[in-house]
Amino acid sequence: MAGAPDRRIPPLASMLRDAGLAAFVAALLAIPLLGFRLVDSAQGLSLDYRFLWVLYAAAAVFLGRLLLTVTVRLLAPATARWARSLAREEEAAGPPINYRLIFGWVLIGAALVLPLMPFADRSVVSVATLVLIYVMLGWGLNIVVGLAGLLDLGYVAFYAIGAYSSALLSLHFGLSFWICLPLAGIMGAFLGILLGFPVLRLRGDYLAIVTLGFGEIIRVILLNWQEVTNGPNGITGIPRPTLFGLSFDNPARAPAGSTGFADFFGLSYSAMHWMTFLYYLILVLALVTTLFAQRIRRLPTGRAWEALREDEIACRSLGINPVTVKLSAFAIGASFAGLAGAFFSIRQGFISPESFSFIESATILAIVVLGGMGSQIGIVLAAVLLVGLPEWFRELQEYRMVAFGGAMVLIMLWRPQGLLSHRSPTVTLDDGKDAPEDEDKAEATVAR
């Protein structure tokens, strides 16, 4: 019958050929990763061969691929029935529940209480802080890539400018972090406008190439302008910020006359105070970033970004100036990278050009794409997956990146559009039946 699900299992030869091809590719990848090992002995380093491991990996992929093909075919009818049943239940239940909004509030609540949990030791808080840095960077890049549709491969340049400008202003002019922080965001926005001007006419791959080159130019400048940036040696001794004048330094090394956070509240000094302060500081910065992004996408500027992303020619025909739209997207996205860079400088206390290589841009872009371009919650999940899990599973040593790559492949097979894909325009002109499914759908309806 037309429209009925296909219950047939592919011919055995076809399934075997498909599984064999997957096993062959797995064997090619496993040879350099698992087939060779350097052995340290009294005679020096020698090469050991582990081709049996390659055989095991190929066999595992062969069986897994075969099992996956059979399972998908067998479960297809049940999945289709479940989807139809779920659709009927949702239609009968009335207005749908905004699960994404609920899940977002749950995430915020979990983030607020995380440092207070019994298991939240120094390692957990440190990794969570690192994840939040990438969440903020992902939300900033999401404005450029996810909302405006401008592929930026040099986003780390704005991150570097924010870190260096904050560190240099603090060291050479004695400005506090709370003054350097907005200045770093302004510097990032200014650099974003400078980048935006020459790339106004570029799209797609050409824009990606130019931004990639821009990121490398900034890194090379930081590397060679030794009089200002100290070259590859980087900048050390970046002062720590205080909380309303209360220092987080060890009382034994604190300057005379200064009041410490622990002394003021009658607590015993602990390094966790500083770690917790950093965690909540980046949490506030990240929440400000997402709140700003959520609000501005309902303003004319945000709608113009989405219009430009969907069709630039139609955007021009409606009287929208693409120059200002692109420049605003670059400037706002870069300003958040500058803020994150300023935070990174005081967290590390040391910055160097090696911290701002292309791999950082690639990681941030992977977070945006994997999370689903345009989805704020998806970016959080992707940052936890791409940044948090590799840090928490360092015990796996050399197999950590293998597990990371395997997880990436599985996600791309399972969700090629991203974990929580959302590219629908924020506001539409229909009667509400096809309204967007984003976190603040109700507000979009009011705005319309």
Side-chain angles (χ1 to χ4, degrees):
M1 185 175 64
D6 187 7
R7 297 168 181 266
R8 294 177 303 171
I9 299 178
L12 182 61
S14 174
M15 290 192 299
L16 292 177
R17 185 170 57 251
D18 179 63
L21 180 60
F24 176 70
V25 174
L28 292 179
L29 295 175
I31 288 175
L33 294 175
L34 303 175
F36 304 100
R37 184 181 62 165
L38 285 176
V39 179
D40 191 7
S41 61
Q43 290 76 27
L45 292 176
S46 60
L47 197 62
D48 185 23
Y49 302 99
R50 300 185 300 188
F51 291 127
L52 193 59
W53 288 38
V54 177
L55 184 61
Y56 289 154
V61 171
F62 179 84
L63 294 176
R65 181 67 181 178
L66 195 62
L67 184 63
L68 180 66
T69 306
V70 174
T71 304
V72 168
R73 282 286 177 169
L74 291 177
L75 294 181
T79 305
R81 285 196 299 272
W82 176 77
R84 289 194 296 269
S85 172
L86 187 63
R88 286 195 296 269
E89 290 178 2
E90 288 181 350
E91 186 176 356
I97 301 174
N98 196 335
Y99 291 106
R100 291 189 179 186
L101 182 59
I102 297 173
F103 185 56
W105 282 109
V106 170
L107 284 179
I108 293 175
L112 287 173
V113 301
L114 176 64
L116 308 178
M117 293 290 104
F119 59 85
D121 56 7
R122 190 168 176 173
S123 172
V124 171
V125 176
S126 177
V127 173
T129 304
L130 183 64
V131 170
L132 284 175
I133 293 176
Y134 280 91
V135 168
M136 182 176 177
L137 290 170
W139 280 341
L141 182 61
N142 191 40
I143 293 175
V144 183
V145 178
L147 299 184
L150 304 171
L151 185 54
D152 186 355
L153 293 181
Y155 193 66
V156 73
F158 311 119
Y159 186 38
I161 289 298
Y164 269 88
S165 60
S166 174
L168 292 173
L169 289 172
S170 177
L171 286 173
H172 296 295
F173 297 96
L175 300 179
S176 73
F177 168 75
W178 302 107
I179 298 176
C180 295
L181 181 66
L183 292 179
I186 293 172
M187 287 293 294
F190 177 70
L191 203 68
I193 294 174
L194 285 184
L195 170 65
F197 268 113
V199 301
L200 288 176
R201 296 180 180 276
L202 300 180
R203 303 178 192 175
D205 299 341
Y206 300 103
L207 177 62
I209 293 170
V210 171
T211 53
L212 173 62
F214 176 76
E216 284 301 298
I217 288 171
I218 295 297
R219 191 182 66 83
V220 172
I221 290 176
L222 296 177
L223 200 60
N224 292 281
W225 199 5
Q226 299 203 11
E227 294 80 5
V228 176
T229 64
N230 205 22
N233 296 324
I235 299 176
T236 59
I238 300 171
R240 288 183 171 186
T242 60
L243 180 63
F244 300 111
L246 302 178
S247 169
F248 290 90
D249 294 332
N250 191 329
R253 298 194 297 269
S258 64
T259 304
F261 177 83
D263 292 338
F264 185 82
F265 288 99
L267 304 172
S268 300
Y269 172 76
S270 171
M272 275 301 292
H273 296 158
W274 168 246
M275 301 290 296
T276 307
F277 168 69
L278 287 179
Y279 174 81
Y280 280 115
L281 176 58
I282 187 61
L283 179 61
V284 170
L285 290 175
L287 291 178
V288 168
T289 304
T290 187
L291 181 64
F292 180 87
Q294 287 294 324
R295 291 299 174 187
I296 198 170
R297 63 190 295 182
R298 289 171 181 78
L299 297 177
T301 303
R303 298 178 190 179
W305 290 343
E306 294 180 336
L308 184 74
R309 177 193 69 191
E310 299 300 325
D311 193 332
E312 183 171 344
I313 296 176
C315 186
R316 287 174 182 271
S317 66
L318 291 174
I320 298 174
N321 187 355
V323 174
T324 56
V325 173
K326 288 183 179 180
L327 289 181
S328 63
F330 271 117
I332 293 175
S335 65
F336 289 124
L339 296 177
F343 175 83
F344 176 78
S345 68
I346 57 110
R347 176 180 182 262
Q348 299 295 113
F350 165 77
I351 54 174
S352 71
E354 296 304 317
S355 302
F356 308 103
S357 59
F358 169 70
I359 191 65
E360 294 296 320
S361 282
T363 302
I364 301 167
L365 182 63
I367 289 172
V368 175
V369 175
L370 184 62
M373 290 189 288
S375 172
Q376 303 290 81
I377 298 177
I379 288 173
V380 177
L381 300 178
V384 172
L385 185 67
L386 294 184
V387 179
L389 292 185
E391 292 294 327
W392 276 310
F393 289 98
R394 280 190 177 275
E395 291 76 11
L396 295 177
Q397 298 181 357
E398 67 267 28
Y399 303 109
R400 184 168 62 104
M401 296 311 294
V402 175
F404 172 79
M408 287 287 291
V409 171
L410 290 177
I411 290 174
M412 286 297 103
L413 289 173
W414 173 52
R415 297 284 295 176
Q417 73 276 27
L419 293 176
L420 291 175
S421 177
H422 170 64
R423 286 180 64 91
S424 301
T426 304
V427 178
T428 57
L429 298 177
D430 57 16
D431 57 0
K433 294 179 180 178
D434 298 323
E437 298 177 357
D438 65 351
E439 293 85 346
D440 293 323
K441 177 181 173 182
E443 295 184 14
T445 306
V446 173
R448 198 167 55 242

